[in-house]
Amino acid sequence: MPPIKRTKFKLAPEQLLEMYYWLKLIRAFDERLSVLVKQGKVRSGVYTGIGQEAIIVGTCFALRKEDFICPLHRDLGAFLMKGVEPRVMMAQMFAKATGLSKGRDSALHSGVSELGIFGNTSMLGANLPVAAGLALTYKIEKVDNVVVAYFGEGASNVGDFHEALNFAGVQQLPILFVCENNQYAYSVPIEKSMAIDDVADRAHGYGFDGVAINGNDVLAVYQATQGALARARGGDGPTLIECKTYRWHGHSEHDKAFYRSDEELAMWKSRDPITTFTTYLRTRNVLDDDKTKEIERKVTAVIDEAVEFAVNSEDPKAEDAVTDLYA
Ligand SMILES: Cc1ncc(C[n+]2csc(CCOP(=O)(O)OP(=O)(O)O)c2C)c(N)n1
């Protein structure tokens, strides 16, 4: 292979390839789920994040194990990057006894506290005040961990969002608010729900920085996250990073997304975060055909194994429904 050209942010070629692997794995996980749901094998609503992978990879890649994330319905990839095994995540979507919540929720609300993953609730924005509370704990305990809370641009119109940002700004909390602005809240386009262009501007009203970036550029997301994390760890409070992106599929797999045009989808597909990053890696000689094949083979093997595990796992037993309950 020709010599590797200097790459951004002092990331070693191995780290860039690791990012590439995660992008491919998360895409493949969602794509497989999309097929499985149509085959009637998935017992959960499926809200794929296809097209938005750079946000999860760029943010999670910058985290320490101790940092906490509060992911959304579209962020299964964040679970994987934080350390949930793909087979366990798949079993979760199949509502099997081997899944994270042992088949006892609708699959999208489980958390894993040992891995720093907060279980989200269905109410949009409701995770944000909880995330701020978690960040307050870090401040009180004087540890330099950070909380990363994800939300959609739709959720930024909900009261909880504003309360959480206000509190985080007043308390200078170590928290990073990551907006995955995929242009639609279900069928509602952003211009019908907001009178401003950038969700990022909302941070200024609460006394901290908000930046709007290309959410399809994994390195831009990584760079913005690194800066925000350094400020949070150093006691300089929160940051809002708005990542402009697009979801390729409907809101969920049962939504055909007739409310948007083919041209719009095609335009955003031309900005595919994986294709863009592939070009970057190839022009710098970090990635070649052999490496691509090797990574693709690995991804397929991981997903195949995950599906096999989920298919062959036991269903939950009725009598176990009352275990693990809090009094
Ligand atoms: C408070 C509240 N209102 C409405 C809903 C119904 N709902 C679920 S997802 C969704 C759209 C969310 O859009 P956004 O926050 O932009 O995230 P995205 O799904 O686009 O990633 C809506 C309206 C809800 N879950 N909670």
Side-chain angles (χ1 to χ4, degrees), residues 47-49 52 72-75 121-126 151-160 179-188 193 247 250-252:
Y47 303 78
T48 67
Q52 305 186 195
L72 287 177
H73 45 289
R74 231 172 271 297
D75 302 330
T121 61
S122 281
M123 297 308 292
L124 291 175
F151 60 98
E153 80 293 343
S156 79
N157 299 316
V158 172
D160 278 349
C179 178
E180 301 184 60
N181 181 355
N182 58 18
Q183 317 298 324
Y184 289 88
Y186 208 129
S187 56
V188 181
S193 67
R247 61 166 157 74
H251 173 70
S252 66

Side-chain angles (χ1 to χ4, degrees), residues 30-224:
D30 269 351
E31 281 179 339
R32 190 68 70 87
L33 266 182
S34 174
V35 172
L36 290 165
V37 78
K38 291 176 186 86
Q39 294 172 343
K41 294 199 173 122
V42 180
R43 292 175 181 149
S44 160
V46 171
Y47 303 78
T48 67
I50 297 172
Q52 305 186 195
E53 298 88 349
I55 303 170
I56 295 304
V57 177
T59 50
C60 288
F61 202 80
L63 297 181
R64 294 181 190 159
K65 194 173 166 296
E66 302 75 36
D67 297 325
F68 234 92
I69 59 167
C70 300
L72 287 177
H73 45 289
R74 231 172 271 297
D75 302 330
L76 301 186
F79 284 75
L80 303 178
M81 287 196 74
K82 267 302 227 157
V84 175
E85 284 180 66
R87 49 158 47 194
V88 175
M89 201 66 221
M90 196 60 86
Q92 170 73 0
M93 303 309 287
F94 279 59
K96 293 294 182 89
T98 48
L100 288 175
S101 50
K102 304 176 191 167
R104 281 175 299 187
D105 76 350
S106 71
L108 300 169
H109 303 106
S110 60
V112 192
S113 36
E114 315 81 67
L115 294 174
I117 307 171
F118 177 74
N120 198 17
T121 61
S122 281
M123 297 308 292
L124 291 175
N127 62 331
L128 301 174
V130 181
L134 187 52
L136 180 64
T137 311
Y138 291 154
K139 185 181 165 185
I140 292 169
E141 291 179 350
K142 296 190 169 54
V143 289
D144 70 350
N145 299 343
V146 178
V147 180
V148 178
Y150 299 92
F151 60 98
E153 80 293 343
S156 79
N157 299 316
V158 172
D160 278 349
F161 164 85
H162 295 274
E163 291 181 31
L165 265 72
N166 185 50
F167 188 70
V170 170
Q171 295 284 337
Q172 288 286 286
L173 298 179
I175 183 165
L176 177 47
F177 295 101
V178 177
C179 178
E180 301 184 60
N181 181 355
N182 58 18
Q183 317 298 324
Y184 289 88
Y186 208 129
S187 56
V188 181
I190 188 160
E191 60 274 13
K192 290 213 169 134
S193 67
M194 281 174 44
I196 54 174
D197 289 334
D198 297 327
V199 175
D201 288 346
R202 294 187 161 167
H204 306 146
Y206 301 110
F208 57 92
D209 277 349
V211 286
I213 63 166
N214 176 2
N216 283 5
D217 178 346
V218 69
L219 293 178
V221 178
Y222 177 73
Q223 184 185 32

